[in-house]
Amino acid sequence: MTAHVIDGKAFAATVRAKVAAHVTRLREENGIVPGLAVVLVGEDPASQVYVRSKGKMTVEVGMASFEHKLPVDTTEADLLAIVRRLNADPKIHGILVQLPLPPHLDSDLVINTIDPAKDVDGFHISNVGLLGTGQKAMVPCTPLGSLMMLRDYHGSLSGMNAVVIGRSNIVGKPMAQLLLGDSCTVTIAHSRTRDLSAVVQQADIVVAAVGRPEMVVGDWIKPGATVIDVGINRIERDGKTVLVGDCHYDSCAAVAGAITPVPGGVGPMTIACLLANTLTACCRTNGLVEPEGLTA
Ligand code: NDP
């Protein structure tokens, strides 16, 4: 079997187009322009790339983009003051503080200072609790994008066995909650899981969010299963730096029914979902109808 390739780049473009159409309607009919503020502390090169690309795409869908670039030695008090100012600013509907923060700053404190209604990353403890109890939440972007691709490919996920490898707060745990919300039978695996390959072999859906290049191989995959590869790993191959996922693409694609590539799978969906979350936050704040198909 050769797996169907789930094209995250193309799907993300359709999500952004949907967001852009809704943003146009909001501007024309309600005079509202959704605004996203991104706060970056320090000069981590990868974070700078992410922030630039988030800002560019925010403007492309017709939203207002606000960037706050702060020096690496910004104090916690100064950062919290900026977050509070953004919380109070009616032009801002979404706030994202780019992680990781420099070690002298308490990330949990900073994230939990964001107004939960503007928490477009879905990391605030209130949103974590809302998602965990099946209530309307702001949902973390990477798991949301993965869920959208799964729903688009399968329709209903009800009754499927899903194995999520990784239990981080930003990917693994919220992914498992979302799959449970769609009535999958969910197993969360992690570094202490015994006989991981046997666990993965039970899965109709495998979500790999580990951070270990090409760890999941084709022998672990049940024939016909759907593989969502969240991993982004830079490795040296044939003298070049290349991006690979947590799944060994060729061997998994030979067995799976469908698979997301790296790059071009989950990655593009993450930014598309950030824009979708900003739009959702704007609609909720203004008591307007939310766009369909862009939330969990
Ligand atoms: P974390 O490092 O926070 O979590 C990794 C998880 O993998 C942990 O739960 C860990 O288990 C588990 N793990 C580590 N080694 C093994 C192993 N040998 N067997 C089984 N489980 C293992 O990573 P993140 O969740 O933040 O990210 C995961 C990957 O996803 C990374 O490659 C990251 O770059 C990528 N990513 C991609 C995004 C995108 O937009 N596509 C967005 C965010 C992340 P334990 O808890 O026991 O230590």
Side-chain angles (χ1 to χ4, degrees):
M1 176 181 289
T2 301
H4 167 79
V5 180
I6 301 177
D7 185 345
K9 201 170 164 198
F11 193 51
T14 68
V15 170
R16 289 198 306 274
K18 227 181 206 180
V19 170
H22 205 96
V23 168
T24 302
R25 269 207 307 282
L26 274 184
R27 193 186 320 105
E28 288 172 356
E29 293 171 16
N30 307 90
I32 296 170
V33 178
L36 172 65
V38 177
V39 181
L40 173 65
V41 185
E43 291 178 1
D44 176 62
S47 296
Q48 283 180 328
V49 172
Y50 289 139
V51 166
R52 244 196 325 274
S53 123
K54 282 167 187 170
K56 184 169 161 269
M57 292 202 182
T58 303
V59 172
E60 275 171 14
V61 295
M63 296 184 184
S65 167
F66 303 86
E67 276 178 27
H68 296 262
K69 291 189 177 151
L70 309 174
V72 69
D73 57 357
T74 300
T75 65
E76 197 163 86
D78 284 348
L79 179 56
L80 293 178
I82 287 171
V83 170
R84 290 196 184 99
R85 219 171 55 227
L86 296 172
N87 283 344
D89 186 339
K91 292 192 300 301
I92 308 284
H93 304 92
I95 302 169
L96 180 148
V97 177
Q98 185 66 43
L99 300 177
L101 287 172
H104 68 283
L105 300 169
D106 179 346
S107 302
D108 287 339
L109 176 63
V110 173
I111 297 302
N112 289 324
T113 302
I114 297 173
D115 176 349
K118 297 188 178 188
D119 168 37
V120 282
D121 254 344
F123 297 159
H124 189 290
I125 195 73
S126 299
N127 283 313
V128 175
L130 290 168
L131 177 62
T133 50
Q135 300 180 69
K136 207 184 245 190
M138 294 307 302
V139 177
C141 303
T142 300
L144 179 58
S146 303
L147 181 77
M148 281 185 190
M149 288 192 287
L150 283 167
R151 282 179 177 169
D152 183 65
Y153 181 68
H154 284 287
S156 169
L157 308 181
S158 180
M160 296 176 89
N161 276 338
V163 172
V164 179
I165 318 173
R167 55 175 164 180
S168 73
N169 290 334
I170 64 168
V171 189
K173 282 185 201 151
M175 186 75 241
Q177 302 277 14
L178 289 171
L179 291 166
L180 198 55
D182 271 29
S183 299
C184 291
T185 303
V186 182
T187 302
I188 306 179
H190 45 77
S191 66
R192 307 296 170 90
T193 297
R194 291 193 190 136
D195 201 354
L196 182 59
S197 63
V199 172
V200 173
Q201 267 156 15
Q202 303 301 312
D204 304 309
I205 294 170
V206 181
V207 181
V210 187
R212 291 186 181 264
E214 301 178 328
M215 185 187 82
V216 178
V217 291
D219 286 353
W220 298 15
I221 304 296
K222 177 163 124 179
T226 299
V227 177
I228 303 290
D229 191 350
V230 178
I232 301 179
N233 308 288
R234 278 186 175 73
I235 62 163
E236 295 298 317
R237 181 168 284 159
D238 304 330
K240 278 190 276 184
T241 304
V242 291
L243 279 190
V244 297
D246 290 340
C247 300
H248 183 271
Y249 185 80
D250 288 345
S251 65
C252 290
V255 185
I259 187 165
T260 59
V262 178
V266 176
M269 285 301 290
T270 297
I271 296 191
C273 286
L274 172 67
L275 304 174
N277 275 352
T278 304
L279 174 60
T280 299
C282 177
C283 292
R284 287 181 187 170
T285 302
N286 288 287
L288 299 167
V289 180
E290 289 173 29
E292 259 180 52
L294 296 180
T295 51

Coordinates of all heavy atoms in Angstrom, one line a residue, residues 50 142 165-172 189-193 196 208-212 215 220 229-233 244-246 265-271, ligand 1:
Y50 N 9.7 32.4 13.0 CA 8.3 32.1 13.3 C 7.5 33.4 13.4 O 6.4 33.6 12.8 CB 8.1 31.3 14.6 CG 8.6 29.9 14.5 CD1 9.2 29.3 15.6 CD2 8.3 29.1 13.4 CE1 9.7 28.0 15.6 CE2 8.7 27.8 13.4 CZ 9.4 27.2 14.5 OH 9.9 26.0 14.4
T142 N -1.4 23.6 17.1 CA -0.8 22.4 16.4 C -1.8 21.2 16.5 O -2.1 20.6 15.5 CB 0.6 22.0 17.0 OG1 1.4 23.2 16.7 CG2 1.1 20.8 16.3
I165 N 1.8 9.8 20.6 CA 3.1 9.6 21.3 C 3.7 11.0 21.7 O 3.9 11.8 20.8 CB 4.1 8.9 20.3 CG1 3.4 7.8 19.5 CG2 5.3 8.4 21.1 CD1 4.4 7.2 18.5
G166 N 3.8 11.2 23.0 CA 4.2 12.5 23.5 C 3.1 13.0 24.4 O 1.9 12.9 24.1
R167 N 3.5 13.6 25.5 CA 2.5 14.1 26.5 C 2.8 15.5 26.9 O 2.6 15.9 28.1 CB 2.5 13.2 27.8 CG 3.9 13.0 28.4 CD 3.8 12.2 29.7 NE 5.1 11.7 30.1 CZ 5.4 11.0 31.2 NH1 4.4 10.6 32.0 NH2 6.6 10.6 31.5
S168 N 3.4 16.3 26.0 CA 3.6 17.7 26.3 C 2.3 18.5 26.5 O 1.3 18.1 25.9 CB 4.5 18.4 25.3 OG 3.8 18.6 24.1
N169 N 2.4 19.6 27.2 CA 1.2 20.4 27.4 C 0.8 21.1 26.1 O -0.3 21.5 25.9 CB 1.5 21.5 28.5 CG 1.6 20.8 29.8 OD1 1.0 19.8 30.1 ND2 2.3 21.5 30.7
I170 N 1.8 21.3 25.2 CA 1.4 22.1 24.0 C 1.0 21.2 22.8 O 0.2 21.7 21.9 CB 2.6 23.0 23.5 CG1 3.8 22.3 23.1 CG2 2.9 24.1 24.6 CD1 4.8 23.2 22.4
V171 N 1.4 19.9 22.8 CA 0.9 19.1 21.7 C 0.2 17.8 22.2 O -1.0 17.6 22.0 CB 2.1 18.7 20.7 CG1 1.5 17.9 19.5 CG2 2.9 19.9 20.3
G172 N 1.0 16.9 22.9 CA 0.5 15.6 23.2 C -0.8 15.6 24.0 O -1.8 15.0 23.6
A189 N 1.2 7.7 24.8 CA 2.5 7.1 25.0 C 3.5 8.1 25.3 O 3.4 9.3 24.9 CB 2.8 6.2 23.8
H190 N 4.6 7.7 26.0 CA 5.7 8.7 26.4 C 6.9 7.9 26.6 O 7.0 6.7 26.2 CB 5.2 9.5 27.6 CG 4.7 8.6 28.7 ND1 5.4 7.9 29.5 CD2 3.4 8.4 29.0 CE1 4.7 7.2 30.3 NE2 3.4 7.5 30.0
S191 N 7.9 8.5 27.1 CA 9.3 7.9 27.2 C 9.3 6.7 28.1 O 10.2 5.9 28.0 CB 10.3 8.9 27.6 OG 10.1 9.3 28.9
R192 N 8.3 6.6 29.0 CA 8.3 5.4 29.9 C 7.4 4.3 29.4 O 7.2 3.3 30.1 CB 7.9 5.8 31.3 CG 8.7 6.9 31.9 CD 10.2 6.5 32.0 NE 11.0 7.7 32.4 CZ 11.2 8.1 33.6 NH1 10.7 7.5 34.6 NH2 12.0 9.2 33.8
T193 N 6.8 4.5 28.3 CA 5.8 3.5 27.7 C 6.6 2.2 27.4 O 7.6 2.2 26.8 CB 5.1 4.0 26.5 OG1 4.4 5.1 26.8 CG2 4.2 3.0 25.8
L196 N 6.6 0.2 23.0 CA 5.9 1.3 22.2 C 5.4 0.8 20.9 O 4.3 1.1 20.4 CB 6.9 2.5 22.1 CG 6.3 3.7 21.3 CD1 5.1 4.3 22.0 CD2 7.4 4.8 21.2
A208 N 2.4 11.4 16.2 CA 3.8 11.4 16.7 C 4.2 12.8 17.1 O 4.3 13.7 16.2 CB 4.7 10.7 15.8
A209 N 4.4 13.1 18.3 CA 4.9 14.4 18.8 C 6.0 14.2 19.8 O 5.8 14.4 21.0 CB 3.7 15.2 19.4
V210 N 7.1 13.8 19.4 CA 8.2 13.3 20.2 C 9.4 14.2 20.2 O 10.0 14.5 21.2 CB 8.6 11.9 19.8 CG1 9.6 11.3 20.8 CG2 7.4 11.0 19.7
G211 N 9.8 14.6 19.0 CA 11.1 15.4 18.9 C 12.3 14.5 18.7 O 13.4 14.8 19.0
R212 N 12.0 13.3 18.2 CA 13.1 12.3 17.8 C 13.0 11.9 16.4 O 12.1 11.3 16.0 CB 13.0 11.1 18.7 CG 13.3 11.4 20.1 CD 13.4 10.1 21.0 NE 13.6 10.6 22.4 CZ 14.8 10.6 22.9 NH1 15.9 10.2 22.2 NH2 15.0 11.0 24.2
M215 N 11.8 8.3 14.5 CA 11.8 7.2 15.5 C 10.7 6.2 15.1 O 10.9 5.0 15.4 CB 11.5 7.8 16.8 CG 11.5 6.8 18.0 SD 10.9 7.6 19.5 CE 9.2 7.4 19.4
W220 N 6.0 -0.5 12.8 CA 5.1 -0.2 14.0 C 3.7 0.1 13.5 O 2.8 0.2 14.4 CB 5.6 1.0 14.7 CG 7.0 0.9 15.3 CD1 7.9 0.0 15.1 CD2 7.5 1.8 16.3 NE1 9.1 0.3 15.8 CE2 8.8 1.4 16.6 CE3 7.0 3.0 16.9 CZ2 9.6 2.1 17.5 CZ3 7.8 3.6 17.8 CH2 9.1 3.2 18.1
D229 N 2.3 13.3 11.6 CA 3.7 13.5 12.1 C 3.9 14.9 12.5 O 4.0 15.8 11.6 CB 4.7 13.1 11.0 CG 6.1 13.0 11.5 OD1 6.4 13.4 12.6 OD2 7.0 12.5 10.7
V230 N 3.9 15.2 13.8 CA 4.0 16.5 14.3 C 5.5 17.0 14.3 O 5.8 18.2 14.3 CB 3.3 16.7 15.7 CG1 3.5 18.1 16.2 CG2 1.9 16.3 15.6
G231 N 6.4 16.0 14.4 CA 7.8 16.3 14.7 C 8.4 17.2 13.6 O 8.1 17.1 12.4
I232 N 9.3 18.1 14.1 CA 10.1 18.9 13.2 C 11.5 18.8 13.7 O 11.8 19.3 14.8 CB 9.7 20.4 13.2 CG1 8.2 20.6 12.8 CG2 10.6 21.2 12.3 CD1 7.8 22.0 12.8
N233 N 12.4 18.1 13.0 CA 13.7 17.8 13.4 C 14.7 18.2 12.3 O 14.5 17.8 11.2 CB 14.0 16.4 13.8 CG 12.9 15.8 14.8 OD1 12.9 16.2 15.9 ND2 12.0 15.0 14.3
V244 N 13.2 16.6 9.0 CA 12.5 15.3 9.0 C 11.5 15.3 10.2 O 11.7 16.0 11.2 CB 13.5 14.1 9.1 CG1 14.4 14.0 7.9 CG2 14.3 14.1 10.4
G245 N 10.6 14.4 10.1 CA 9.6 14.3 11.2 C 10.0 13.3 12.3 O 11.2 12.8 12.3
D246 N 9.1 12.9 13.1 CA 9.3 11.9 14.1 C 9.1 10.5 13.5 O 9.3 9.5 14.2 CB 8.4 12.1 15.3 CG 8.8 13.3 16.1 OD1 9.9 13.8 16.0 OD2 7.9 13.8 16.9
G265 N 3.2 19.3 6.2 CA 2.1 18.6 6.8 C 1.5 19.4 7.9 O 0.8 20.4 7.7
V266 N 1.8 19.1 9.2 CA 1.2 19.8 10.3 C 1.7 21.2 10.4 O 1.0 22.1 10.8 CB 1.6 19.0 11.6 CG1 1.1 19.7 12.8 CG2 1.0 17.6 11.6
G267 N 3.0 21.4 10.1 CA 3.6 22.8 10.2 C 2.8 23.9 9.7 O 2.4 24.8 10.4
P268 N 2.4 23.9 8.4 CA 1.6 25.0 7.8 C 0.3 25.1 8.5 O -0.3 26.2 8.6 CB 1.4 24.6 6.4 CG 2.5 23.6 6.1 CD 2.8 22.9 7.4
M269 N -0.3 24.0 9.0 CA -1.6 24.1 9.7 C -1.5 24.9 11.0 O -2.5 25.4 11.4 CB -2.1 22.7 9.9 CG -2.7 22.0 8.7 SD -4.0 22.9 7.9 CE -5.3 22.7 9.1
T270 N -0.3 24.8 11.6 CA -0.2 25.5 12.9 C -0.4 27.0 12.8 O -1.2 27.6 13.5 CB 1.2 25.2 13.5 OG1 1.3 23.8 13.8 CG2 1.4 25.9 14.8
I271 N 0.2 27.6 11.8 CA 0.0 29.1 11.6 C -1.4 29.4 11.2 O -2.1 30.3 11.6 CB 1.1 29.7 10.7 CG1 2.4 29.5 11.3 CG2 0.8 31.1 10.4 CD1 3.5 30.3 10.6
Ligands
NDP1 P1 8.4 17.9 24.2 O1 9.9 17.6 24.3 O2 7.8 18.8 25.1 O3 7.7 16.4 24.5 C1 8.2 15.3 23.9 C2 7.4 14.1 24.3 O4 7.9 12.9 23.7 C3 7.5 13.9 25.8 O5 6.2 13.6 26.4 C4 8.4 12.7 26.0 O6 8.1 11.8 27.0 C5 8.1 11.9 24.7 N1 9.2 11.1 24.3 C6 10.5 11.5 24.2 N2 11.3 10.4 23.9 C7 10.5 9.4 23.7 C8 10.6 8.0 23.3 N3 11.8 7.5 23.1 N4 9.5 7.2 23.2 C9 8.3 7.7 23.5 N5 8.1 9.0 23.9 C10 9.1 9.8 24.0 O7 8.1 18.2 22.7 P2 6.8 18.9 22.0 O8 5.6 18.2 22.4 O9 6.9 20.4 22.3 O10 7.2 18.7 20.5 C11 7.2 17.4 19.9 C12 7.7 17.5 18.5 O11 6.8 18.3 17.7 C13 9.0 18.3 18.3 O12 9.7 17.7 17.2 C14 8.6 19.7 17.9 O13 9.6 20.4 17.2 C15 7.4 19.4 17.1 N6 6.4 20.5 17.1 C16 5.9 20.8 15.9 C17 5.0 21.8 15.8 C18 4.4 22.1 14.4 O14 3.9 23.2 14.2 N7 4.4 21.1 13.5 C19 4.6 22.6 16.9 C20 5.1 22.2 18.2 C21 6.0 21.1 18.2 P3 8.3 12.2 28.6 O15 7.1 13.1 28.9 O16 8.2 10.9 29.3 O17 9.6 12.9 28.7

